[in-house]
Amino acid sequence: MLAVMIVRNLMQLLTIWAQQRFVLFRNHVLCRRLMRAYLAMPYAFFLQRHTAELSKNILNEVARVASGILYPMVEALTSIVLILTIFGFLLVENPAMTLIAVLS
C-alpha cells in the first residue's frame, strides 16, 4: 500500500511539474511576441502611451492570462486525458463491468 501511495504521489508530482513547465513556457512565448509587436510599432505609438503601461502589459497581464486562463485549461485537459486513460484500462480489463457501470 505504501508503494502504491509513493508511486501515485510521484506521478502527481510529475504531472504538476509538466503542467507548470508548459504554462511557464507559453508565458515566455507570449511575452516575447508582445515585445516584438511593441518593437515593430511606429514612434507615434510610443508618444501616445506611457512606458510603464507597456511594461505592465508585458510582465503582469501576460502572467494573468497564463495563470487565469491557460493553467486551468491545461488542468482540465489533463483531467480529461486521465479519465479517458482510466476508462480505457477498465474497458480492456473488464469490458462488460465497465459498460454496466457507465450505463447505470
Side-chain angles (χ1 to χ4, degrees):
M1 190 66 146
L2 181 62
V4 170
M5 289 177 63
I6 290 172
V7 169
R8 178 189 173 274
N9 286 335
L10 287 175
M11 291 300 293
Q12 191 173 20
L13 179 67
L14 179 66
T15 303
I16 292 170
W17 175 80
Q19 289 173 345
Q20 287 288 333
R21 184 169 185 241
F22 177 79
V23 170
L24 289 175
F25 181 71
R26 289 290 129 206
N27 186 15
H28 174 72
V29 169
L30 288 173
C31 285
R32 287 185 61 169
R33 281 186 188 174
L34 187 57
M35 185 66 176
R36 275 196 213 119
Y38 282 156
L39 291 175
M41 293 291 178
Y43 183 68
F45 173 82
F46 295 102
L47 292 176
Q48 298 170 355
R49 287 173 179 75
H50 198 276
T51 55
E53 176 189 347
L54 302 177
S55 297
K56 180 183 74 83
N57 289 343
I58 293 172
L59 298 173
N60 295 340
E61 299 302 323
V62 172
R64 286 181 59 192
V65 168
S67 65
I69 296 172
L70 189 57
Y71 190 70
M73 287 174 57
V74 168
E75 281 185 320
L77 183 63
T78 303
S79 297
I80 290 169
V81 168
L82 181 64
I83 289 169
L84 291 176
T85 302
I86 291 171
F87 180 72
F89 282 134
L90 289 173
L91 201 57
V92 167
E93 184 63 34
N94 195 344
M97 283 301 285
T98 303
L99 291 176
I100 289 171
V102 168
L103 295 175
S104 31

